[in-house]
């Protein structure tokens, strides 16, 4: 993310999501998944893939309804 290599960030976050989704379905895993989905949403947003960014941000808010950054990212993608 810091290097702004958005395609690499997208690919790596997708892999992290895939790995974490294989873990048990507890609240901690859901909170971590929400962060990963939100960060991947940011990468896609910066690549102008707004529809995909919106979907991932919506998933982040579904996983953790208290994760404010997820709602922020969802609003950005919708705007």
């Amino acid at each position: 993310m810091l290097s702004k290599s958005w395609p690499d960030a997208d690919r790596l976050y997708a892999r992290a999501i895939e790995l974490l989704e294989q873990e048990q379905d507890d609240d901690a895993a859901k909170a971590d998944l929400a962060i990963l989905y939100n960060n991947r949403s940011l990468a896609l947003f910066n690549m102008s893939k707004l529809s995909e960014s919106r979907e991932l941000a919506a998933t982040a808010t579904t996983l953790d309804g208290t994760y404010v950054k997820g709602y922020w990212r969802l609003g950005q993608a919708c705007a």
Side-chain angles (χ1 to χ4, degrees), residues 9-37:
D10 175 38
R11 183 177 43 80
L12 292 171
Y13 280 118
R15 180 67 177 137
I17 290 167
E18 180 183 320
L19 292 172
L20 191 57
E21 283 180 336
Q22 295 173 4
E23 297 296 316
Q24 47 184 295
D25 204 22
D26 62 4
D27 288 338
K30 286 183 181 180
D32 290 340
L33 274 171
I35 293 168
L36 292 173
Y37 272 102

Side-chain angles (χ1 to χ4, degrees), residues 47-65:
M47 292 189 300
S48 298
K49 296 183 177 184
L50 302 179
S51 178
E52 293 174 52
S53 175
R54 184 177 58 245
E55 289 175 23
L56 293 175
T59 301
T61 61
T62 300
L63 288 167
D64 185 355

Side-chain angles (χ1 to χ4, degrees), residues 66-79:
T66 65
Y67 187 54
V68 176
K69 282 187 177 181
Y71 290 102
W72 171 257
R73 189 80 55 231
L74 181 58
Q76 281 184 313
C78 288

